[in-house]
Amino acid sequence: MKILIINAGSSSLKYQLIDIQDESVIAKGLVERIGIAGSKLTHKYGDKSFELSVPMKDHTEAMGHVLDALMDKEHGVIESIAEIGAVGHRVLHGGEKITQSTVIDDYVMDVIEEYIPLGPLHNPANLMGIRACKAVMPYTPMVAVFDTAFHQTMPPKAYLYGIPRKYYTNLGIRRYGFHGTSHRYIAGEITKKLNREHSKVVICHLGNGSSLSACIDGKCADTSMGLTPLEGVLMGTRSGSLDPAVVQFISERENMTATQVVNMLNKQSGLLALSERSSDMRDVYSGAEEGDEKCRETLDVWAYGVKKYVGAYAAAMGGLDAIVFTAGIGENDWRSRASVCEGLEFLGVELDDAKNKALRGKEGLISSDTSKVQVWVIPTNEELAIARDTLALTTK
Ligand code: ADP
């Protein structure tokens, strides 16, 4: 069976066609600038690719071009829509109502709509993606996989903020957490590797957006992102956690609205702001190597912040069996992994420097043979996790 994975953004649409028998990617691509001048589709299959630049006024038109690309006479990988057995949609926010992946029906559409205030950029785009797919492939079963779902096992002590309860009860303000599909995929993989009944694991998803989770027996006990993806560690352009009074202070001094300040904290902060150079970790390292003091300091702030979460989660779980690094920085950058683990010997964390340095973009154990805590690099695969759920739910 072939499964189509859709990740719709406000003006973009990423897709992958996966053969679920051998879990291989048959084709994938990206539509950019939907509804804006310069719409473009980039389609890849095998080691070939092609681009199509035509106006696409909305997601339904974009989906039409995606299907055309998949069925193209010259470049196509399938002959008819009927070959696509099911579609899996990545959806941001399911609030407290959705705790696992689910077949899309009217109720699920209503829930995605209901949580638009908590996912104002993503949930409307996700809905557009689902509606566009339904318009062009009305008979294909569809599944929604939520970024927040994995974190719904957190206990109240981990998700409640210390503010008046009415904000939780009336407005739903609490920690939700994000990157859940990645954390769940990694939790499943590490649980298989540890092969023991009980486990305490810290998962470090470190990319442009970063989040950590504490997982007990494969279930989420705590996570670093909060009501929105702004909370937690320093990210590419997000500040991560700070004293909320900063918002008011900047707002008054700079004559900015709260919305403008939060926008700045999301888009103009993080590595970009502290290094005054780039939001990309590679550039920050290059800067530090050239002797740029701001870049060196930025790397220190980043690693110190991630390390504090690892320590906090070890304390919260009352132990630590494994640390897993994943996503762009976690999978590719040995220096970042080394700086996070440095000084954690007291917790039983001992890296094998040679193994750590040698490992890039693939799976492997990077702790020493004597390390009490196993340290792993496991590449995340959110699309595959979505495809597996989609298969399980549509072939029940
Ligand atoms: P996203 O959160 O957008 O999915 P990724 O998980 O792809 O992001 O991570 C992107 C980040 O990974 C880049 O911003 C870059 O800083 C970092 N990265 C990728 N490769 C390397 C590398 N070899 N060394 C250091 N950082 C890297």
Side-chain angles (χ1 to χ4, degrees):
M1 180 164 138
K2 297 181 181 85
I3 294 180
L4 182 63
I5 308 303
I6 298 291
N7 182 358
S10 52
S11 67
S12 69
L13 194 151
K14 283 190 213 150
Y15 62 93
Q16 265 194 23
L17 186 67
I18 293 180
D19 184 337
I20 202 69
Q21 262 72 44
D22 61 3
E23 300 193 330
S24 63
V25 178
I26 304 169
K28 63 179 176 182
L30 166 70
V31 188
E32 294 162 283
R33 302 182 66 86
I34 300 170
I36 317 173
S39 308
K40 185 173 96 178
L41 180 150
T42 311
H43 182 78
K44 294 185 180 153
Y45 60 106
D47 53 6
K48 301 196 188 76
S49 67
F50 72 89
E51 283 183 13
L52 173 76
S53 291
V54 289
M56 298 180 217
K57 72 171 189 309
D58 56 25
H59 284 69
T60 306
E61 267 190 22
M63 256 325 289
H65 288 292
V66 170
L67 291 179
D68 287 347
L70 291 169
M71 296 187 293
D72 188 78
K73 283 225 159 47
E74 195 184 332
H75 307 283
V77 289
I78 53 171
E79 282 180 7
S80 81
I81 291 181
E83 283 182 54
I84 300 173
V87 182
H89 291 270
R90 180 175 182 179
V91 181
L92 182 81
H93 222 301
E96 290 185 326
K97 295 206 166 146
I98 301 214
T99 58
Q100 55 194 8
S101 303
T102 167
V103 171
I104 298 175
D105 56 15
D106 290 345
Y107 170 74
V108 173
M109 297 294 278
D110 288 345
V111 172
I112 302 172
E113 183 114 41
E114 181 183 336
Y115 284 107
I116 285 177
L118 294 180
L121 299 178
H122 293 84
N123 274 30
N126 301 148
L127 277 173
M128 279 194 282
I130 295 169
R131 291 196 181 112
C133 277
K134 286 185 174 230
V136 291
M137 40 204 317
Y139 305 110
T140 313
M142 304 208 184
V143 166
V145 177
F146 290 80
D147 257 17
T148 51
F150 178 66
H151 305 302
Q152 279 296 309
T153 48
M154 277 188 291
K157 67 181 175 187
Y159 70 67
L160 285 177
Y161 292 130
I163 57 177
R165 278 194 180 265
K166 64 177 180 186
Y167 296 118
Y168 169 57
T169 30
N170 299 345
L171 301 178
I173 294 178
R174 49 160 283 181
R175 174 183 315 288
Y176 288 99
F178 298 88
H179 293 140
T181 311
S182 172
H183 284 281
R184 180 164 57 99
Y185 175 79
I186 300 294
E189 294 298 305
I190 188 66
T191 303
K192 279 188 256 168
K193 289 185 198 312
L194 291 172
N195 193 23
R196 59 179 84 152
E197 200 187 341
H198 296 293
S199 62
K200 293 169 178 169
V201 176
V202 173
I203 298 172
C204 309
H205 176 114
L206 305 171
N208 189 32
S210 297
S211 63
L212 284 87
S213 66
C215 296
I216 301 178
D217 303 340
K219 292 201 171 68
C220 179
D222 204 348
T223 192
S224 60
M225 284 179 165
L227 174 74
T228 77
L230 183 55
E231 195 179 348
V233 295
L234 193 78
M235 307 179 213
T237 63
R238 294 190 192 117
S239 62
S241 300
L242 43 69
D243 181 342
V246 168
V247 177
Q248 179 219 6
F249 200 88
I250 295 181
S251 150
E252 284 175 4
R253 297 290 166 107
E254 302 279 312
N255 200 17
M256 287 160 77
T257 63
T259 306
Q260 285 170 327
V261 178
V262 171
N263 212 20
M264 176 273 290
L265 297 175
N266 268 306
K267 298 194 172 142
Q268 290 153 30
S269 298
L271 297 178
L272 173 67
L274 280 186
S275 70
E276 295 186 334
R277 181 180 282 242
S278 170
S279 62
D280 192 301
M281 191 56 116
R282 287 165 288 200
D283 299 335
V284 183
Y285 271 104
S286 309
E289 277 156 20
E290 290 160 17
D292 183 333
E293 187 55 23
K294 281 181 288 198
C295 288
R296 202 198 50 72
E297 210 169 60
T298 306
L299 294 172
D300 282 352
V301 173
W302 182 88
Y304 181 67
V306 176
K307 195 198 305 277
K308 283 207 292 189
Y309 266 99
V310 174
Y313 286 166
M317 294 189 291
L320 185 62
D321 298 313
I323 299 173
V324 188
F325 288 98
T326 194
I329 299 171
E331 290 166 26
N332 294 304
D333 186 25
W334 68 268
R335 296 162 299 190
S336 296
R337 297 190 297 250
S339 60
V340 169
C341 292
E342 191 196 342
L344 294 184
E345 293 78 12
F346 79 99
L347 280 178
V349 178
E350 226 179 79
L351 276 195
D352 179 317
D353 290 333
K355 282 188 192 158
N356 181 37
K357 281 184 186 165
L359 204 74
R360 181 164 174 191
K362 58 179 199 287
E363 181 182 299
L365 183 67
I366 55 169
S367 45
S368 70
D369 295 342
T370 50
S371 182
K372 279 201 245 120
V373 176
Q374 293 188 11
V375 185
W376 284 85
V377 174
I378 303 179
T380 193
N381 195 337
E382 287 159 293
E383 288 79 12
L384 182 56
I386 297 174
R388 286 178 182 168
D389 285 3
T390 305
L391 175 75
L393 285 163
T394 53
T395 51
K396 249 191 200 162

